[in-house]
Amino acid sequence: AKMAGKNCYRFYSRTMDQAIERRVRMEHDLRGAWERGELTLVYQPIYRTRDRVLVGAESLLRWNHPEDGAIAPSVFIDVAEQSGLIEAIGLLALRNACHEAASWPVPAGAGEAPFVSVNVSARQLRSGDLLQQVADALQQSGLPPERLHLELTETAVISDEANAAALLARLRGLGVKVWLDDFGTGYSSLSHLRRVQVDGLKIDRSFITDLLRDPDDLALTSAIVAMAHSMGVTVVAEGVERAGQFELLRERDCDLVQGYWLGHPMGGPEFVAQLG
Ligand code: C2E
Ligand code: CA
Ligand code: CA
Ligand code: CA
């Protein structure tokens, strides 16, 4: 009976051990991944809906693991966030995105060089270092502040609203634009927008996916656009995969669009080639 009990215990603990082991190994591998050149940034183009002129790009991390190959951000950002590694990785992403974007040319028909948007995690937001890091990144790269957009998730901002509101005000004071990411997935989104001043919001992909089929999603998207515009806030729709979605968004006055139908994330040089 003692043996069976022990085996039983080992049986249940093994899968748990494996999951923990995987995380520990990933955390270990993630340390120094940037220095080894395994982490890179790709850029996904963002277009003005009205005339489909390219106006910016979102920078997105990619991890090319020497043994496991390409690992999606949905897997490693979580590990980076929980281990605290995101603070170092996020800073490098910020610096590199600013540095690359500083040399982007003005695309045909645009009048100005594209902005770059950088994702900022909840942990970076709470770290107390963000304002100085952003100021330094701008100064060192020479990127004009208005060409840097910071994407903060709605949940991160709302969970720490008192501090976030003050920090966002200071970031905007530097001249950078602040965007709320994954908008619509958090709780009671609209009321928070009155207290937390932002330049733009990104309607979460989950609303766009069903736009052509689900009248509720279309109604919500239209309402978000109308409400945002009444407060002078710009709206981006992400995850636009079909022409029909794009047409509806144009009809409903959504300012900017991003998605596979318009362009996939791509390496820096490939993005620059698009600007020609
Ligand atoms: P996100 O900020 O919501 O980024 C948009 C994600 O949607 C990206 O996935 C992008 O490739 C994907 N996407 C774009 N257009 C389409 C489309 O038309 N259809 C579909 N199905 N997907 C589309 P990705 O690159 O895998 O990034 C996933 C998440 O990882 C991001 O979600 C963001 O939360 C996080 N992430 C990525 N890079 C960074 C970073 O540098 N810092 C931080 N803190 N988080 C990052
Ligand atoms: Ca984002
Ligand atoms: Ca998003
Ligand atoms: Ca739906």
Side-chain angles (χ1 to χ4, degrees), residues 189-209:
S189 313
L190 301 185
S191 63
H192 292 278
L193 263 192
R194 293 185 7 238
R195 288 192 293 270
V196 180
Q197 301 273 309
V198 295
D199 299 283
L201 49 89
K202 297 187 87 163
I203 303 180
D204 190 66
R205 187 167 81 228
S206 58
F207 291 94
I208 309 305
T209 305

Side-chain angles (χ1 to χ4, degrees), residues 34 40-42 44 58-62 72-77 81 86 89-90 93-94 117-122 124 151 153 181-182 202 204-205 209 238-242 245 258-265:
W34 194 291
T40 54
L41 289 174
V42 291
Q44 183 173 32
E58 176 174 13
S59 62
L60 295 157
L61 277 166
R62 293 291 176 265
S74 54
V75 179
F76 71 83
I77 292 289
E81 176 91 28
I86 192 68
I89 292 171
L94 172 72
S117 78
V118 174
N119 290 286
V120 174
S121 81
Q124 288 173 275
E151 297 191 9
T153 65
D181 203 358
D182 303 342
K202 297 187 87 163
D204 190 66
R205 187 167 81 228
T209 305
E238 60 182 10
V240 179
E241 295 183 352
R242 310 158 68 97
Q245 292 166 331
Q258 174 183 2
Y260 294 165
W261 185 69
L262 295 129
H264 283 257

Side-chain angles (χ1 to χ4, degrees), residues 1-15 17:
K2 204 179 170 189
M3 276 285 283
K6 199 174 177 195
N7 284 338
C8 200
Y9 164 77
R10 291 189 55 170
F11 174 78
Y12 283 116
S13 68
R14 193 177 301 142
T15 46
D17 281 353

